[in-house]
Amino acid sequence: MPHRFPALIAAPPPAAGRLWLTGLRLFDGTGGPLRHGVAVLVEDGVIRRVTTDQEPCPPGARSIDAGQRVLLPGLIDAHTHAAGRSPRVLAGAEGVLPGTAAHFLQAELRDHLRRGVTTIRVTGSQGLAPQEARQAMRYGAFRGPRVLTCGKIISATAPGGRFYGDMYREADGQDDMRRAVREQIRAGADFIKVMTTGARSNELEDPEPLQLTVPELSAVTGEAHRMGFKVSAHAEGLAGCEAAIATGADTIEHGMYLHRRPDLLAAMATSGQVLVPTLSGYYWMAGADDADGGAAEPGPWMTTMLTELAHRNIDDGAASMRAARDGGVKIALGSDVSLGTGLEIRRMIHHGLTAREALTAATSTAAQALGLAEHVGTVEEGKLADLLIVDGDPLEEPGLLTSTSRIWLVLQLGVPVAGQALEREVACADHGS
């Protein structure tokens, strides 16, 4: 029986009826060239036909002429930490109320959709925030992307448990690791995440030692796979990467030193394991807001030691991404920052991928990494109609994906939910009144 993704179960209602999208150029997510003169028939939220725009509009279908804009699959961010952040208030101001963070999470999810991101994989959050948000979306409170969550990150008892609060479920020993996996499934997880090494976004953890034993890690991957769930392994140092690869983790998150171990990359290519490079996470730690980091200043939110390490990790992470590409390893986009999908595409290109490779990493390969390839990630018949139409050619001008003014229309399960096309309609209606 196929894995029951809570993220799919919690989907909002699809569009009813038929929608005819015509006047399209198409990047279908498979890595092929841009196709011209395309039309797509969507029926009840599913892509039913990809054909030529010379065909007439099917009977009973609502028609949208895209004016030769480019259609591509909705973007996927395979590594983000959407949680909702409470605002900082001035001394003497009213204290932040317990439910305020949830509203900021809702705003963040709305922004993902406005930027053409229709699926995100939350690789760590506080408590049940992602599950609560997607339940609200399921029942119509607001529109946001499809949300996959790991529940809590499984970690050995380690300093990270002090830094990241309710994001971690610390466990020790094989039985406790298995119980931790089962707890996340009970809480509505779509996949399991495990810390094989420390996280160098705090000063007390080191990326190099393996934080848990190989038998403990095997217990996590074995139990998750037995239950039909994929495993995401936080693995910065090479010992963590080696153990995660050997024990069958499905995705290797970060892996910034893998370029030093071609044998590990060869093993990943053979097994089909996916690298999620997360360049933007290093940029954030380094204090860089631009695409290439050339004008970066030390981030005031990080210690000097961590900022200096982040600058080195940009170079190492980029080298590992290129080595993975050259070695035939699948690469999925993961930004590791809030609302950073388009910027991560630009950075992947800046550091050596082609635009076609980066866009494929953000669509079909990301869908494969999440276990959703039969549902999303490409524009093909039978797939869910999570679609993005943009002004301009993202293969020639990938930077357009960082500009909301270039996002013309976003469809979620066939429902037009965001984009300039909708906003212009509203603006025209307001002007006319």
Side-chain angles (χ1 to χ4, degrees):
M1 185 172 67
H3 169 43
R4 295 181 179 177
F5 282 97
L8 293 176
I9 294 171
R18 307 175 106 191
L19 178 65
W20 180 247
L21 302 172
T22 188
L24 298 166
R25 292 177 290 158
L26 174 64
F27 176 79
D28 65 10
T30 65
L34 205 68
R35 293 163 54 187
H36 294 258
V38 173
V40 174
L41 175 64
V42 175
E43 190 170 27
D44 297 330
V46 175
I47 299 168
R48 293 301 182 195
R49 193 157 80 248
V50 180
T51 184
T52 171
D53 63 5
Q54 297 302 307
E55 286 195 23
C57 179
R62 174 190 175 194
S63 179
I64 296 178
D65 188 338
Q68 299 307 310
R69 292 179 174 87
V70 174
L71 172 72
L72 59 159
L75 302 177
I76 299 171
D77 196 322
H79 188 120
T80 187
H81 291 281
R85 291 170 176 79
S86 296
R88 294 183 179 180
V89 299
L90 298 174
E94 179 187 29
V96 178
L97 299 174
T100 301
H103 295 280
F104 281 85
L105 175 55
Q106 178 186 143
E108 182 176 337
L109 293 173
R110 287 179 184 271
D111 280 348
H112 272 295
L113 207 57
R114 181 60 184 82
R115 295 162 191 252
V117 180
T118 54
T119 299
I120 63 172
R121 184 177 67 155
V122 178
T123 51
S125 186
Q126 295 296 321
L128 295 173
Q131 293 96 312
E132 292 167 350
R134 77 179 176 199
Q135 186 177 77
M137 290 188 285
R138 176 183 188 177
Y139 294 113
F142 68 99
R143 283 274 183 178
R146 181 176 297 100
V147 174
L148 279 71
T149 178
C150 65
K152 295 184 180 181
I153 303 170
I154 297 172
S155 168
T157 300
R162 294 169 52 196
F163 283 81
Y164 307 117
D166 206 24
M167 187 182 290
Y168 278 24
R169 193 318 193 164
E170 292 179 307
D172 297 290
Q174 296 177 62
D175 287 343
D176 201 18
M177 293 285 172
R178 292 189 188 94
R179 181 176 181 84
V181 169
R182 294 172 185 177
E183 287 174 357
Q184 306 327 304
I185 296 171
R186 180 181 185 272
D190 300 274
F191 67 102
I192 300 299
K193 183 180 178 186
V194 61
M195 300 291 293
T196 69
T197 70
R200 285 321 302 268
S201 52
N202 75 75
E203 62 187 357
L204 296 184
E205 292 194 328
D206 192 309
E208 198 45 53
L210 185 61
Q211 274 203 336
L212 34 68
T213 66
V214 172
E216 286 175 325
L217 182 54
S218 295
V220 172
T221 57
E223 186 65 13
H225 288 160
R226 186 183 71 82
M227 297 297 291
F229 288 74
K230 286 185 176 290
V231 176
S232 159
H234 171 103
E236 296 190 20
L238 288 171
C241 290
E242 184 171 15
I245 293 164
T247 56
D250 299 282
T251 63
I252 306 300
E253 315 294 318
H254 315 302
M256 67 278 278
Y257 310 123
L258 278 167
H259 62 98
R260 303 175 188 173
R261 289 285 303 272
D263 59 315
L264 295 182
L265 291 172
M268 289 181 67
T270 298
S271 65
Q273 291 163 302
V274 181
L275 175 66
V276 186
T278 66
L279 299 178
S280 292
Y282 314 138
Y283 273 82
W284 175 79
M285 289 179 62
D289 291 327
D290 59 334
D292 60 15
E297 297 293 334
W301 49 84
M302 283 286 166
T303 68
T304 300
M305 180 266 290
L306 292 178
T307 299
E308 291 174 351
L309 176 65
H311 279 285
R312 296 197 299 273
N313 283 344
I314 291 173
D315 294 333
D316 278 316
S320 289
M321 179 185 70
R322 292 190 297 270
R325 184 269 315 275
D326 295 343
V329 176
K330 295 177 181 178
I331 297 172
L333 179 143
S335 67
D336 203 13
V337 296
S338 174
L339 303 172
T341 311
L343 198 53
E344 182 73 9
I345 289 172
R346 289 177 57 188
R347 286 168 173 162
M348 295 172 88
I349 295 167
H350 173 76
H351 287 288
L353 296 193
T354 67
R356 192 180 312 278
E357 289 168 338
L359 287 170
T360 302
T363 53
S364 61
T365 310
Q368 293 171 30
L370 273 54
L372 292 176
E374 67 178 286
H375 302 286
V376 296
T378 56
V379 181
E380 296 180 279
E381 294 173 2
K383 297 291 182 76
L384 300 178
D386 286 1
L387 302 169
L388 168 61
I389 302 175
V390 297
D391 275 316
D393 182 352
L395 293 175
E396 297 294 331
E397 191 187 357
L400 69 85
L401 294 170
T402 62
S403 173
T404 55
S405 67
R406 307 290 291 278
I407 304 297
W408 190 71
L409 188 63
V410 182
L411 295 103
Q412 181 185 55
L413 294 170
V415 179
V417 292
Q420 286 290 324
L422 299 182
E423 291 164 12
R424 287 171 185 163
E425 284 185 9
V426 171
C428 289
D430 288 346
H431 182 73
S433 63

